[in-house]
Amino acid sequence: MEELRIGILGYGTVGRGVVTLLQEHGEAITHRSGVRLRLVRIATRTPSRDRGVDLGDVELTDDVRRVVDGDDIDVVVELIGGYDPAETLVRDALNNGKHVVTANKALIAEKGVGLLDIAAKNGLELAFEAAVAGAVPIVKAMKESLAADPVDRIYGILNGTCNYILTEMREKGLSFETVLADAQEKGFAEADPTFDVEGVDAAHKLAILAAIAFGTPPNFSGIHIEGINHISDIDIAWAMEMGYRIKLLAIAKRMEKGIELRVQPTLVPDSSMVASVEGVFNSVFVHSAYAGTTMYHGRGAGEKPTASAVVADLLEIARNKKVGAKGRVSGLSVLAENLKPLEVLDMAELEGEYYLRLAVVDRPGVLADVTTALARFDISVDAIMQKGRSQKDAVPLVIVTHKTTEKRLQDGLKAIEALESVRDKPRFIRIETGFA
Ligand code: HSE
């Protein structure tokens, strides 16, 4: 029987998932393609560590070159993550004539164009379904199922760690720091959670999705990124009281003059579908001209979900091999020569409604001072709430604005901050009400 000979780089959680999926369901997978997926070799820095898996005749090595350069390897599965050495290894594997399957979002978002180019020139696949939202089949859905339909909007929850933290903060009334520590203990957050909580991980995924949707090279550096590390349990409680939830939303929109690309904590109505995505789950909503809104939901990380996407990519390569197909679908859906850079619209000029939280001295005239400061920048108030009474301490004042640009809002907040009756730096969070 024909075989696809596999070498894996990195034997962590996802690597183990790939091994067990191939072991447990290898026969059924072979039935789908007529090609046997044979794991030949795994390179890891820690070959002697016990992963509780019987590898049989699969070779374990600490030499990555035995995978990247090995004559007995057809496809390299890159599960190391990060930029270096992953980029070099993937490039070398492609230059050595090997297909590559990767779960590495940073690599595709930031170096993808060059690497996909090498793959295309060599008639190879560089597949990355697992890089975006783990098991959620969004890359393939956009590259194939929605390929004919102009997409104008993608939004969703692309980071399970942040969604878990925000969900726990809301449900248990706990602070960011407390929930993060608990998430780290339970394995839902990395020891160094920076990429997740600062929004970088979601932005990598958004860059990839926007590229596929809009036929443009991934533009990670063009994304406006805000994380959840400054979100306070007080804001979550206020949001709840007003009928909202706070979510870290990744949003890409095609507008007349360019594209909007942003990852930021956002108030969404309690009744919206995106608000109901809780815990570690990911959800992507795609709006296209003919299909309308379609939704893709599932587990965005973890051993088995990520392995599911990785092995599906391997199966796709096996299917191509069986029929002698090469480069049937371009890496980013649009042919490389047709990718077109698009202008990213300046966040400062984007319009939206905002939630503001101020700490003000509780005395007559303060509300008037605040709304006058906002009015100077043409910001109109939709709702205003104040709770508690205190002659000496500051009390919270929460404002919901009508539509304004972020630039005007920032100017208005500066004017508010300068008021003698205002204590602390005002907090603000964008509100999105028009989503499913
Ligand atoms: N750490 C990511 C998440 C998964 O929490 O969604 C890998 O990108």
Side-chain angles (χ1 to χ4, degrees):
M1 175 176 286
E2 245 182 301
E3 284 184 339
L4 188 73
R5 298 165 303 174
I6 299 161
I8 299 180
L9 298 171
Y11 195 20
T13 312
V14 178
R16 193 176 59 181
V18 170
V19 172
T20 55
L21 177 49
L22 289 172
Q23 284 180 345
E24 289 170 9
H25 301 283
E27 202 178 327
I29 293 167
T30 305
H31 287 164
R32 291 177 194 259
S33 66
V35 175
R36 185 171 162 239
L37 302 186
R38 181 159 72 89
L39 180 56
V40 173
R41 186 169 300 125
I42 303 173
T44 168
R45 274 183 304 187
T46 51
S48 55
R49 192 200 298 161
D50 181 16
R51 274 100 173 162
V53 177
D54 178 3
L55 282 178
D57 58 1
V58 175
E59 180 190 327
L60 258 185
T61 173
D62 60 3
D63 181 3
V64 287
R65 303 308 316 186
R66 285 194 45 74
V67 170
V68 171
D69 303 331
D71 286 339
D72 53 353
I73 300 291
D74 301 310
V75 47
V76 171
V77 178
E78 186 273 302
L79 301 174
I80 299 174
Y83 308 96
D84 221 16
E87 184 188 357
T88 310
L89 296 174
V90 167
R91 176 173 290 116
D92 289 354
L94 293 168
N95 282 326
N96 285 341
K98 299 178 195 322
H99 302 284
V100 173
V101 173
T102 180
N104 189 333
K105 60 233 58 161
L107 190 67
I108 299 299
E110 299 198 55
K111 311 285 177 187
V113 171
L115 295 172
L116 285 163
D117 213 37
I118 302 174
K121 286 192 175 118
N122 292 340
L124 298 163
E125 294 295 328
L126 168 52
F128 51 86
E129 181 66 67
V132 184
V136 181
I138 182 63
V139 170
K140 196 158 188 132
M142 294 209 5
K143 277 167 65 167
E144 305 210 33
S145 310
L146 288 173
D149 197 357
V151 171
D152 57 35
R153 191 163 71 226
I154 309 164
Y155 61 95
I157 292 169
L158 294 178
N159 187 274
T161 303
C162 288
N163 206 48
Y164 173 81
I165 292 173
L166 291 173
T167 303
E168 289 282 294
M169 286 173 73
R170 186 180 64 80
E171 287 179 350
K172 301 189 175 150
L174 298 171
S175 71
F176 171 79
E177 289 75 17
T178 308
V179 176
L180 173 61
D182 171 62
Q184 283 171 314
E185 207 164 290
K186 290 188 173 134
F188 295 146
E190 308 268 351
D192 177 0
T194 317
F195 262 35
D196 289 320
V197 300
E198 291 189 354
V200 175
D201 176 82
H204 280 139
K205 296 165 185 166
L206 183 69
I208 298 169
L209 291 182
I212 297 170
F214 306 140
T216 187
N219 185 353
F220 170 71
S221 61
I223 300 178
H224 171 88
I225 307 174
E226 287 170 48
I228 62 161
N229 32 353
H230 64 280
I231 295 294
S232 134
D233 44 324
I234 301 172
D235 295 315
I236 290 185
W238 274 107
M240 266 166 74
E241 178 150 345
M242 296 185 305
Y244 293 96
R245 290 187 196 182
I246 299 179
K247 294 287 174 190
L248 183 71
L249 281 197
I251 300 173
K253 281 192 206 170
R254 173 133 212 187
M255 314 293 277
E256 215 174 293
K257 291 191 181 140
I259 52 175
E260 209 178 298
L261 292 175
R262 54 197 162 93
V263 170
Q264 58 186 168
T266 309
L267 268 76
V268 292
D270 242 343
S271 55
S272 59
M273 289 209 315
V274 72
S276 67
V277 178
E278 296 280 51
V280 294
F281 281 90
N282 282 199
S283 221
V284 188
F285 297 76
V286 181
H287 185 266
S288 53
Y290 278 57
T293 300
T294 50
M295 174 185 173
Y296 309 82
H297 177 84
R299 294 182 189 278
E303 176 175 329
K304 289 188 170 175
T306 313
S308 167
V310 167
V311 178
D313 276 346
L314 289 170
L315 173 52
E316 170 82 3
I317 293 169
R319 283 174 165 156
N320 286 343
K321 181 178 165 112
K322 185 74 182 169
V323 297
K326 276 185 184 170
R328 192 182 62 83
V329 183
S330 309
L332 293 168
S333 187
V334 168
L335 291 173
E337 63 269 28
N338 293 335
L339 288 172
K340 220 171 55 201
L342 293 171
E343 187 183 331
V344 180
L345 302 174
D346 183 356
M347 186 67 205
E349 300 306 328
L350 300 184
E351 285 212 318
E353 294 156 356
Y354 286 87
Y355 153 97
L356 316 179
R357 177 166 59 84
L358 319 175
V360 297
V361 177
D362 189 13
R363 64 166 181 249
V366 170
L367 275 188
D369 291 347
V370 168
T371 51
T372 305
L374 291 174
R376 267 176 49 213
F377 298 93
D378 208 19
I379 300 169
S380 154
V381 169
D382 179 46
I384 201 156
M385 273 155 288
Q386 187 196 315
K387 275 206 182 154
R389 288 222 60 168
S390 170
Q391 292 305 314
K392 28 186 210 353
D393 300 323
V395 292
L397 179 67
V398 169
I399 296 173
V400 174
T401 73
H402 282 300
K403 273 202 168 148
T404 180
T405 61
E406 176 135 345
K407 162 101 183 63
R408 277 192 271 138
L409 183 84
Q410 296 278 11
D411 290 343
L413 289 179
K414 260 188 229 147
I416 287 177
E417 214 179 328
L419 293 172
E420 183 272 322
S421 48
V422 171
R423 305 279 181 267
D424 300 339
K425 208 173 162 53
R427 306 293 183 110
F428 70 97
I429 307 174
R430 203 174 157 104
I431 303 175
E432 291 282 354
T433 51
F435 290 166

